[in-house]
Amino acid sequence: MGEVVKLSDYRAPQAVELPEEIQDSLVPIEFAVGFSDRKKCLSKIAEYGIHSLHIRRVTEEPEALLYLIGVKDAIRLNKRILELESISDEEIARRIDVIQMLENVNLSMMDSLWASFTRQGNFSWQ
C-alpha cells in the first residue's frame, strides 16, 4: 500500500525566540494603545517603532483576527507617549494606570487565555 505521511515533517521550524522575549506575554493592541479603532492603534504602533505585532485567528470565528503586542512593548509605547506627546492630565493618569496594570499582569494567565480561544499561527512583523 502507501506510506503514512507525517505533516509535521513538512512544517517550517518554529522561529527561535530571544531570551528576553520568552517571558513576555501578549495583550490586545487596543488595550495597549488605548484606542478602540484598530487602524489608529496600528498607526500609533508604527509611529513609535514597535518591533513586533502578533496576529491570532479566533478559533470560533475564522474571519476574526486578534492583534497583539508584547507586554514589554506595550509598556515602552505608553512611556514614550507620556514622554513625547502633549496630552491632558486625564490621559496621563489613564496611561499611568495602563502601565501599572501591564507591569502586574500574570503572564502565564494571559498566555493560556489567548491559547484557549485562538489558533497559534502567529506572524511577527519586524
Side-chain angles (χ1 to χ4, degrees):
M1 296 292 274
E3 290 184 34
V4 176
V5 176
K6 293 183 186 176
L7 293 177
S8 61
D9 292 341
Y10 297 95
R11 290 188 183 162
Q14 293 281 337
V16 177
E17 295 184 79
L18 299 174
E20 65 270 9
E21 292 177 339
I22 292 172
Q23 296 179 358
D24 201 12
S25 189
L26 303 172
V27 293
I29 61 171
E30 293 86 355
F31 174 73
V33 180
F35 302 135
S36 59
D37 180 5
R38 182 175 288 167
K39 287 183 182 180
K40 195 172 178 182
C41 290
L42 292 171
S43 175
K44 187 63 73 174
I45 288 169
E47 179 182 340
Y48 282 94
I50 299 300
H51 75 280
S52 65
L53 178 67
H54 304 270
I55 303 171
R56 299 281 200 275
R57 185 177 313 276
V58 178
T59 305
E60 297 300 317
E61 298 184 32
E63 299 302 315
L65 297 175
L66 188 60
Y67 288 72
L68 306 162
I69 66 171
V71 170
K72 291 176 186 175
D73 285 336
I75 291 170
R76 184 170 53 96
L77 171 69
N78 280 286
K79 286 181 177 180
R80 297 294 293 164
I81 289 171
L82 288 172
E83 290 172 8
L84 301 174
E85 294 186 16
S86 89
I87 54 180
S88 69
D89 289 344
E90 183 179 307
E91 179 68 13
I92 290 170
R94 193 172 66 75
R95 295 234 174 245
I96 291 171
D97 287 345
V98 168
I99 291 169
Q100 289 174 338
M101 282 188 283
L102 290 167
E103 288 175 337
N104 294 311
V105 73
N106 180 329
L107 299 179
S108 62
M109 181 195 74
M110 294 300 291
D111 289 337
S112 64
L113 174 66
W114 305 135
S116 71
F117 66 92
T118 63
R119 295 187 185 150
Q120 289 301 325
N122 67 28
F123 307 93
S124 181
W125 295 343
Q126 296 189 7

